[in-house]
Amino acid sequence: MNTVHVPASVPYDVRIGPGLLSGLADAVKSLCPKAGKCLVVTDDAVGPLWLEKATRPLSAAQIPFSVYTLPHGEASKTADDLIAILNHAAAEHFTRADVFLALGGGMVGDITGLAAAVYMRGVDYIQLPTTLLAAIDSSVGGKTAVDLPAGKNLMGAFWQPRAVLCDTDTLSTLPRADFLSGCAEVIKTAVLFDEELFALLERTGPDFDRESLIARCVAHKRDVVAQDERDTGRRALLNLGHTLGHALEAESGFALTHGQSVAAGMAVVCRAAAAYGICAAEVPARVDALLARFGLPTGTDAPFDALMARMLSDKKRAGGAIGIVVPEQIGRCSVRPMATDEAAAFMKAGL
Ligand code: GLY
């Protein structure tokens, strides 16, 4: 097992390894000793595969629990779903001492974290990520949210989990397409911080050692979160590929996965950075080749004007400027504030 300690305002450990769900009761008892019961939130794709594995140790330790199951997919990450979880917790008489458990991918983690942040002004929660994307990114760092009709993650809070238990066995049931989609965030991490990791991925392709690679990516994210927990500076780097990616994801009606959208967004930004002389031409060439090796898109044929309209209404737009994360070399990126017309011209150069 690997452990990465996150020294956030509420410090916690991310544990990564096989069989961790079987130790869930011990984790609840040691991390949340006053908890009388657990609310397990999951979805109808993960529940049938992993709920029994997660709740068996709770039953064996006589820790009462209740389960709330969402339909899988981003469409369940709404304010209405959030209220439904809160109503369920209230109807089941959950108290402020109790604990919520988020068993699933990014959607489940985000909405459960927000439910934990606001239920009775805040209860403990533990992230139990079951996708690669959730393991290396969304379960770590305390960003919780639901979507509003106007955009993704527009209603949320920073609320750190008590722990993240990443049982790598759960990745065995992850559909291949979802695994590869999560790899986009792995490649993003390498482009941002770790040229050696990038070279490793060039050698291994998708057949990398999952436990050590997740731990390596989580350690990079930990370093960012430790410096900028509330996303006022360095944490913006994690948005590499996301500014255009979120626009692509929405423009496709969520037919493109988050990882596919981020992959295409990252490829576009890398080509644009090379066209502007910010990085060498080798950077987009290597990024395109690696994304293609993982079966991820390196561009889009979505209409430019529609993408820009979405991109420029993105919540990251601040005071008429937009922060675009650009690569300087593999393993080093920076955030460049651009006026909206500059940002549009920059993206056009990479499309
Ligand atoms: N997923 C981006 C962040 O945690 O800031």
Side-chain angles (χ1 to χ4, degrees), residues 133-334:
L133 188 145
I136 69 159
D137 187 32
S138 59
S139 69
V140 182
K143 274 190 180 175
T144 74
V146 294
D147 303 334
L148 294 181
K152 259 175 85 88
N153 297 333
L154 289 184
M155 176 177 175
F158 290 95
W159 191 245
Q160 302 296 333
R162 291 293 291 118
V164 181
L165 306 181
C166 174
D167 185 333
T168 48
D169 290 339
T170 61
L171 299 179
S172 66
T173 52
L174 191 61
R176 184 76 176 160
D178 291 345
F179 175 73
L180 292 173
S181 178
C183 289
E185 296 281 355
V186 176
I187 294 170
K188 180 198 84 173
T189 303
V191 175
L192 281 172
F193 307 118
D194 195 339
E195 206 277 335
E196 267 182 36
L197 174 60
F198 195 93
L200 175 83
L201 295 168
E202 287 178 319
R203 287 196 297 280
T204 62
D207 295 324
F208 49 75
D209 177 73
R210 293 176 178 188
E211 185 178 325
S212 63
L213 185 132
I214 291 169
R216 188 166 175 163
C217 290
V218 168
H220 283 300
K221 178 141 188 193
R222 177 268 318 275
D223 292 346
V224 173
V225 169
Q227 284 178 30
D228 181 22
E229 181 172 327
R230 297 196 55 105
D231 201 4
T232 57
R234 187 171 165 72
R235 191 162 176 172
L237 283 172
L238 300 176
N239 291 324
L240 174 63
H242 283 61
T243 307
L244 188 64
H246 280 166
L248 277 168
E249 198 176 354
E251 187 61 22
S252 76
F254 294 92
L256 282 177
T257 65
H258 180 72
Q260 289 169 329
S261 309
V262 167
M266 187 163 46
V268 169
V269 161
C270 289
R271 285 196 294 271
Y276 274 60
I278 298 168
C279 67
E282 182 212 38
V283 171
R286 284 178 76 189
V287 169
D288 279 2
L290 191 59
L291 292 172
R293 174 127 190 238
F294 281 76
L296 291 163
T298 58
T300 174
D301 49 17
F304 180 76
D305 289 347
L307 285 179
M308 287 308 107
R310 288 188 187 274
M311 192 183 89
L312 299 176
S313 71
D314 189 280
K315 70 180 185 307
K316 290 171 200 73
R317 184 177 163 186
I322 189 162
I324 307 281
V325 185
V326 295
E328 292 169 358
Q329 58 186 55
I330 303 280
R332 195 179 74 216
C333 295
S334 57

Side-chain angles (χ1 to χ4, degrees), residues 74 77 104-112 127 129-131 133-134 138-139 145:
E74 187 73 14
K77 216 177 93 175
M107 180 279 284
V108 168
D110 283 4
I111 194 170
T112 307
Q127 291 274 16
T130 61
T131 65
L133 188 145
S138 59
S139 69

